[in-house]
Amino acid sequence: MGDTGGRTFCPRTGAAPMPRLALYALVVCALAVAAAVVSFVQGSFIGIVWILLAGLSSNMAWFYLRRSRAAKAAAVPADR
């Protein structure tokens, strides 16, 4: 399970696209932060749970991004 998309580079920039799972994790992180802000503004301490979810999802995004960069570095032979 992972990013098994067929595209390997972006036609406009030539750069590799961000892995899908990392992008989804970043979206979850942003939504969790927004939910935490709304919770705290309304006076609810359930925002603490949203903060924990934001931390978890940001760590997941970082992990998937680093994993894809390491896989690309291993796939491309170094020039000597």
Side-chain angles (χ1 to χ4, degrees), residues 20-56:
R20 227 177 283 146
L21 290 174
L23 185 61
Y24 292 156
L26 276 177
V27 169
V28 169
C29 181
L31 290 174
V33 168
V37 168
V38 169
S39 291
F40 285 130
V41 166
Q42 292 179 350
S44 173
F45 286 106
I46 197 75
I48 294 170
V49 175
W50 290 114
I51 293 294
L52 293 173
L53 182 64
L56 176 68

